[in-house]
């Protein structure tokens, strides 16, 4: 159904090179269910790009919910806060969903801690839903540097998946601010709907967060890029945009990977970011819609990033149980409503997600969802047909069949020369291959090993 608001009926845009149209499977309910707080959390010290956070608590300490438990050891890092109140039981390496261990802070709540946290969280949920949550700061009185400091102290990172520390990304010299702030509301990954649910549930806070990020970065305007399959969210946001705010919405074609940073920039601005260059080279900066929401709740309500919305969906879950949940960071996957018998569990979506091999691993800042599928039996790959389907699908204009071969033959230098570092790891090549070749698996290997 086309949008009813006149300003949303503009020509749809998209990026020019490559892209695919996988089945959307966007059938999870848009309602946000607030999952119960766990009694035990496992909080990794590295939930972001950059240096791991440094613990400022020790075994046996009692911590309060939202208390700082790990600080930034350098500029490119992110603070960590306690998702629950309780006692620090240990600080030790523990397995993540992918199987590899990371140093984590383990917190366990007493019955009293759990009851107090649950009541406070429920009070916040009710007032947030009613739209009358009291603000702890006068936002208008804060400078750009103040806003970036608050974002840093709240431990906010990019919530679209990259988990890059936001205060670093938003730091520009005053004399050369970005020309435009692009808000990624595409959510092009199949199955996932956490951003869609957030925009429908809290559109005013999302718009307020975008205004806040404009001030923090110095961007004079903001454009929300949202795919055409999210009409309700687009209209909800449009209704909350103040006049003369410098914020507008751009409807984009439903196409994967529309939400890729470089693809979004090209679709909205028509500018293409060169190989190895940053978005700032074309005057742009990109932020996820959930990041804007987190920045707003941190700045206005003094709440650090201790929970986020995730989608739990997939054919391995009954249709009426595919939902979006507000989940405390550090919650073990095993505590979520995920069927484990005879299923394949993917952290994220099926295109860019990774298989979970240990459900003791926790939800972290970059967890956007859990996709539960029936067991997948990958057929034996057939010889490459040289059909060029992977080349046509690649949104970066690469040659996946060659890069994959370099990875398989351990030809790291050759892969680097062919710009393997530009690969988004979006999986469009593997999806489009008629021979069922694991192109992305070998490209990931080549990309990792070819880094200087």
């Amino acid at each position: 159904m086309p949008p009813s608001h006149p300003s949303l009926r503009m020509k749809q845009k998209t990026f020019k090179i490559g892209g695919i149209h996988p089945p959307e499977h966007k059938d999870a309910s848009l309602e946000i269910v607030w999952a119960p707080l766990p009694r035990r959390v496992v909080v990794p010290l590295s939930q972001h790009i950059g240096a791991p956070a440094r613990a400022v608590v020790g075994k046996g300490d009692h911590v309060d919910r939202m208390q700082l438990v790990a600080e930034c050891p350098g500029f490119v890092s992110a603070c960590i806060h306690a998702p629950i109140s309780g006692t620090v039981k240990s600080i030790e390496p523990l397995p993540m969903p992918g199987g590899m261990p990371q140093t984590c802070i383990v917190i366990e709540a007493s019955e009293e801690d759990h009851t107090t946290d649950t009541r406070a969280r429920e009070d916040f949920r009710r007032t947030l839903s009613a739209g009358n949550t009291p603000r702890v700061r006068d936002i208008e009185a804060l400078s750009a540097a103040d806003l970036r400091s608050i974002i840093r102290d709240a431990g906010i990172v990019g919530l679209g998946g990259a988990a890059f520390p936001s205060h670093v990304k938003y730091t520009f010299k005053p004399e050369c601010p970005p020309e435009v702030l692009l808000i990624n509301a595409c959510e092009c990954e199949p199955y996932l709907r956490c951003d869609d649910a957030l925009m429908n549930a809290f559109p005013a806070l999302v718009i307020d967060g975008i205004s806040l990020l404009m001030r923090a970065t110095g961007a004079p305007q903001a454009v929300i890029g949202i795919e055409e399959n999210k009409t309700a969210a687009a209209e909800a946001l449009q209704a909350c945009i103040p006049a003369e705010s410098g914020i507008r919405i751009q409807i984009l074609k439903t196409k994967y990977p529309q939400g890729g940073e470089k693809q979004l920039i090209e679709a909205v601005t028509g500018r293409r970011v060169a190989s190895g260059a940053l978005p700032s080279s074309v005057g742009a900066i990109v932020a996820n819609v959930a990041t804007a929401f987190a920045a707003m709740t941190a700045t206005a309500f003094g709440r650090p990033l201790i929970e986020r919305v995730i989608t739990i969906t997939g054919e391995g879950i009954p249709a009426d149980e595919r939902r979006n949940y507000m989940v405390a960071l550090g919650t073990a996957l095993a505590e979520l409503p995920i069927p484990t018998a005879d299923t394949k569990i993917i952290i994220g979506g099926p295109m860019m997600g990774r298989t979970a091999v240990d459900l003791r691993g926790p939800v972290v800042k970059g967890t956007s969802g859990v996709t539960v599928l029936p067991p997948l039996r990958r057929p034996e790959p057939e010889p490459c047909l040289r059909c060029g389907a992977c080349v046509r699908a690649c949104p970066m204009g690469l040659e996946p069949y060659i890069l994959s071969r370099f990875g398989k033959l351990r030809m790291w230098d050759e892969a680097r020369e062919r710009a393997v570092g530009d690969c988004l790891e979006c999986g469009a090549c593997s999806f489009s291959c008629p021979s069922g070749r694991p192109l992305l698996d070998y490209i990931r290997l080549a990309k990792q090993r070819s880094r200087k």
Side-chain angles (χ1 to χ4, degrees):
M1 183 175 179
S4 59
H5 197 284
S7 66
L8 300 180
R9 298 189 206 133
M10 77 285 282
K11 180 181 178 181
Q12 297 169 0
K13 296 183 178 182
T14 190
F15 56 97
K16 296 179 181 179
I17 299 176
I20 57 176
H21 295 86
E24 296 179 25
H25 297 292
K26 302 280 190 178
D27 56 1
S29 168
L30 286 176
E31 176 191 7
I32 297 176
V33 178
W34 290 57
L37 287 176
R39 293 285 296 270
R40 178 180 183 271
V41 292
V42 174
V43 185
L45 295 181
S46 182
Q47 302 182 43
H48 50 269
I49 292 176
R54 180 172 53 222
V56 295
V57 296
K59 182 178 179 181
D61 290 350
H62 185 274
V63 297
D64 294 324
R65 185 167 178 258
M66 298 191 284
Q67 178 181 328
L68 179 73
V69 294
E71 64 184 3
C72 299
F75 184 54
V76 185
S77 186
C79 296
I80 307 290
H81 300 79
I84 61 173
S85 301
T87 301
V88 176
K89 291 298 183 180
S90 65
I91 302 177
E92 60 180 324
L94 292 172
M96 295 295 99
M100 296 297 292
Q102 283 192 29
T103 302
C104 303
I105 300 174
V106 179
I107 304 172
E108 291 186 9
S110 66
E111 185 67 38
E112 181 181 359
D113 288 327
H114 184 67
T115 300
T116 300
D117 285 350
T118 299
R119 287 175 179 169
R121 185 174 184 248
E122 178 59 20
D123 289 343
F124 179 74
R125 183 196 68 79
R126 284 197 297 265
T127 54
L128 190 67
S129 299
N132 59 354
T133 305
R135 300 187 176 187
V136 299
R137 295 185 181 94
D138 178 7
I139 297 178
E140 298 304 318
L142 299 172
S143 68
D146 292 335
L147 294 172
R148 292 193 298 270
S149 293
I150 292 169
I151 289 170
R152 178 200 62 209
D153 294 344
I156 295 174
V157 301
L159 297 180
F164 190 81
S166 296
H167 69 277
V168 180
K169 191 173 187 178
Y170 301 157
T171 300
F172 288 83
K173 294 180 179 179
E175 61 271 19
C176 53
E179 298 175 27
V180 60
L181 169 67
L182 300 181
I183 300 298
N184 185 354
C186 295
E187 199 166 39
C188 60
E189 177 83 34
Y191 291 93
L192 302 185
R193 298 194 82 181
C194 53
D195 289 349
D196 197 0
L198 198 61
M199 291 184 286
N200 276 280
F202 306 111
L205 288 176
V206 169
I207 295 299
D208 286 346
I210 294 171
S211 296
L212 184 150
L213 295 186
M214 290 173 66
R215 291 179 51 204
T217 60
Q221 60 175 322
V223 182
I224 304 170
I226 186 168
E227 288 190 325
E228 60 186 316
N229 60 359
K230 300 175 183 64
T231 301
E235 292 189 337
L237 293 176
Q238 183 64 55
C240 296
I241 297 177
E244 310 299 328
S245 65
I247 302 173
R248 68 177 179 88
I249 293 175
Q250 173 63 58
I251 302 297
L252 304 173
K253 291 183 180 180
T254 301
K255 183 180 177 183
Y256 180 85
Q258 188 77 256
E261 190 171 62
K262 294 184 177 181
Q263 284 64 44
L264 179 63
I265 292 171
E266 181 184 359
V268 175
T269 70
R271 303 171 185 175
R272 189 164 179 85
V273 181
S275 175
L278 297 174
S280 58
S281 65
V282 295
I285 181 171
V286 179
N288 178 264
V289 66
T291 308
F293 176 81
M296 183 60 189
T297 54
T299 305
F301 311 134
R303 299 177 66 84
L305 183 56
I306 57 170
E307 55 190 349
R308 65 159 298 162
V309 179
I310 69 171
T311 305
I312 300 180
T313 186
E315 281 79 7
I317 295 178
D320 60 350
E321 296 179 15
R322 300 168 192 170
R323 300 189 178 98
N324 293 282
Y325 294 85
M326 184 72 79
V327 178
L329 304 180
T331 301
L333 296 177
E335 294 193 33
L336 300 177
I338 302 173
T340 57
D342 202 29
T343 58
K344 178 181 177 67
I345 299 173
I346 300 171
I347 306 303
M351 299 300 295
M352 297 189 73
R354 304 293 181 98
T355 301
V357 298
D358 195 326
L359 297 187
R360 293 174 298 174
V363 173
V364 295
K365 295 179 182 182
T367 306
S368 55
V370 180
T371 305
V372 184
L373 301 175
L376 302 178
R377 294 175 177 84
R378 179 184 287 181
E380 286 295 319
E382 298 178 1
C384 176
L385 301 176
R386 297 295 192 272
C387 64
C390 62
V391 177
R392 291 190 295 273
C394 180
M396 295 303 296
L398 303 176
E399 298 172 296
Y401 71 99
I402 293 179
L403 295 176
S404 175
R405 185 153 183 81
F406 287 156
K408 186 174 184 179
L409 298 177
R410 306 172 68 86
M411 299 170 66
W412 317 135
D413 292 339
E414 290 80 359
R416 187 186 305 112
E417 292 172 0
R418 292 283 187 131
V420 69
D422 287 346
C423 174
L424 302 177
E425 302 184 32
C426 67
C429 55
S430 295
F431 179 87
S432 63
C433 179
S435 295
R437 300 180 67 78
L439 300 175
L440 180 57
D441 294 348
Y442 286 116
I443 293 174
R444 275 178 174 156
L445 177 62
K447 183 177 176 181
Q448 180 183 23
R449 296 296 180 87
S450 65
R451 290 176 181 148
K452 292 183 178 179

